[in-house]
Amino acid sequence: MDAQLSERLTTKHPLGALVTEGKTKKIHLIKSGSDLVTVISKDDITAGDGAKHDIIPDKGRLATATTSNVFRLLKACGLPVAFVEQDSATSFVAPKCQMLPYEVVARREAHGSYLKRNPHFSKGQLFPQLIVEFFLKTKDKNWKGKSLVCDDPLLIYSKDAAQIQLFNPAKPLHGQEPFLVLSQSEVFGHDEEWKIFPDMRRIARHAFLVLEKAWQLEGGTLVDFKVEFGFDSKGNLLLADVIDNDSWRLWPGGDKVEMLDKQVYRDLSEVTDDALRLILAKYQTVASLTKNFVS
Ligand SMILES: Nc1ncnc2c1ncn2[C@@H]1O[C@H](COP(=O)(O)OP(=O)(O)OP(=O)(O)O)[C@@H](O)[C@H]1O
Ligand SMILES: [Mg+2]
């Protein structure tokens, strides 16, 4: 653990072994409870799958505050969420999950890669019914030894054909043939995994509707979000990982809130200290507004 982190990290529970470390988080087992982990947010900000990378001191604390507020609200609404309690300024306790390799995206408006897949939509077009999409989480354009044309392809599962089709997410979907068709056993950890797709869709939709209303009450517009799922040790499907200010597009809905999410960082042509200070202020605003979700 780096000095900066250990200094600020006074977790309620003694830390056990490191389970995994990613670009923005470290996951440690908790010594006393074998099926619990502590999810530690780092101060790293990344875009383009790590191509752009900076450190914003204090971001980890704000990310933890935001995720904790969001997960408390979702739990209070009866959603199955991998969250137990916040246990330090930069970490929260969660059930240790076997994470599933999917990114589940819910959209209220057409933006970003959705427009590339569906070029006949205009930017910002509203979806009266939420759109939910699945992407396969991949690294190095490879899935279990099979090479891919791109990472994180769009995944369409056809139950009847028992097939998983992968599409280039940056190309129009209409008229596009899948670049790879996989059998269930090539993707799923176990035979029945296809059954959780309707569940992931339902939970993602429900979570989005709750957060959309919560943001509306704070004068913001939740445009879209990305969530991930995992199984706890008893095999329950949980909405896991985090939902923080890097998980969504969050836009002005009135005069109270201005464009608040990570998009500002993605769009920076030159990363200056002033720009990072401005971005930190946005994370501060979001952490502070989400306090109202649960009070
Ligand atoms: N409750 C949990 N139990 C176990 N693992 C978790 C839990 N929550 C998150 N993780 C995992 O912790 C890892 C580190 O998180 P981080 O988001 O920093 O990784 P990353 O660099 O974004 O890579 P990835 O693409 O896998 O998310 C991720 O693989 C994530 O799936
Ligand atoms: Mg991640």
Side-chain angles (χ1 to χ4, degrees):
M1 188 187 303
D2 55 75
Q4 188 200 2
L5 201 57
S6 66
E7 193 179 84
R8 273 189 299 132
L9 196 75
T10 43
T11 47
K12 201 162 129 188
H13 310 276
L15 294 186
L18 179 72
V19 178
T20 177
E21 176 168 3
K23 295 184 288 288
T24 57
K25 273 150 350 228
K26 281 185 180 189
I27 316 285
H28 275 270
L29 280 176
I30 278 180
K31 276 225 171 92
S32 46
S34 59
D35 54 4
L36 291 178
V37 292
T38 183
V39 179
I40 305 168
S41 282
K42 306 193 286 185
D43 287 339
D44 302 56
I45 183 165
T46 66
D49 214 8
K52 201 169 182 177
H53 177 209
D54 288 277
I55 307 281
I56 305 185
D58 210 32
K59 177 179 179 272
R61 184 181 66 83
L62 298 167
T64 296
T66 302
T67 286
S68 299
N69 292 334
V70 165
F71 278 175
R72 278 184 204 113
L73 172 65
L74 295 181
K75 245 182 129 165
C77 292
L79 281 149
V81 178
F83 177 82
V84 177
E85 59 173 349
Q86 189 173 348
D87 72 332
S88 83
T90 52
S91 65
F92 68 89
V93 176
K96 179 174 189 288
C97 289
Q98 190 193 331
M99 297 300 293
L100 290 156
Y102 313 113
E103 293 201 332
V104 184
V105 175
R107 303 177 187 273
R108 177 61 78 200
E109 295 180 20
H111 290 280
S113 74
Y114 188 88
L115 292 171
K116 294 183 183 166
R117 288 188 294 286
N118 303 280
H120 54 293
F121 278 81
S122 53
K123 188 171 159 56
Q125 196 167 329
L126 204 70
F127 302 122
Q129 288 231 37
L130 284 177
I131 299 280
V132 178
E133 297 174 306
F134 295 93
F135 299 85
L136 186 66
K137 284 183 68 165
T138 64
K139 274 206 178 84
D140 304 324
K141 297 189 183 175
N142 187 290
W143 177 258
K144 296 184 179 171
K146 287 205 154 75
S147 71
L148 310 175
V149 302
C150 61
D151 274 318
D152 300 340
L154 180 80
L155 177 159
I156 295 182
Y157 173 64
S158 143
K159 177 174 162 270
D160 297 333
Q163 271 184 347
I164 293 106
Q165 301 182 318
L166 301 181
F167 295 88
N168 187 334
K171 295 263 165 69
L173 198 55
H174 184 76
Q176 185 185 158
E177 291 294 321
F179 69 79
L180 193 61
V181 178
L182 297 167
S183 67
Q184 298 192 77
S185 62
E186 287 174 296
V187 176
F188 298 157
H190 57 87
D191 291 351
E192 304 281 270
E193 197 167 307
W194 62 268
K195 287 186 178 165
I196 64 165
F197 275 78
D199 294 330
M200 289 193 287
R201 185 181 292 275
R202 183 177 47 78
I203 296 166
R205 276 175 52 82
H206 191 165
F208 189 95
L209 293 172
V210 168
L211 292 173
E212 180 178 49
K213 175 54 77 178
W215 271 116
Q216 196 184 60
L217 294 172
E218 296 308 316
T221 302
L222 186 63
V223 172
D224 52 34
F225 78 9
K226 181 273 294 179
V227 292
E228 296 182 27
F229 289 85
F231 289 117
D232 69 9
S233 60
K234 296 192 187 83
N236 299 309
L237 179 69
L238 300 180
L239 198 166
D241 198 54
V242 298
I243 301 182
D244 61 21
N245 199 31
D246 296 342
S247 306
W248 51 37
R249 280 192 178 84
L250 181 59
W251 285 6
D255 49 11
K256 205 169 142 197
V257 180
E258 60 204 75
M259 203 189 266
L260 285 171
D261 58 81
K262 195 169 88 170
Q263 195 62 35
V264 187
Y265 175 74
R266 292 192 190 97
D267 293 345
L268 279 183
S269 51
E270 196 194 343
V271 182
T272 62
D273 284 351
D274 275 351
L276 292 181
R277 257 193 297 278
L278 227 105
I279 288 167
L280 183 70
K282 291 182 187 295
Y283 283 82
Q284 271 158 350
T285 303
V286 168
S288 159
L289 287 173
T290 55
K291 259 188 238 154
N292 300 332
F293 288 6
V294 278
S295 56

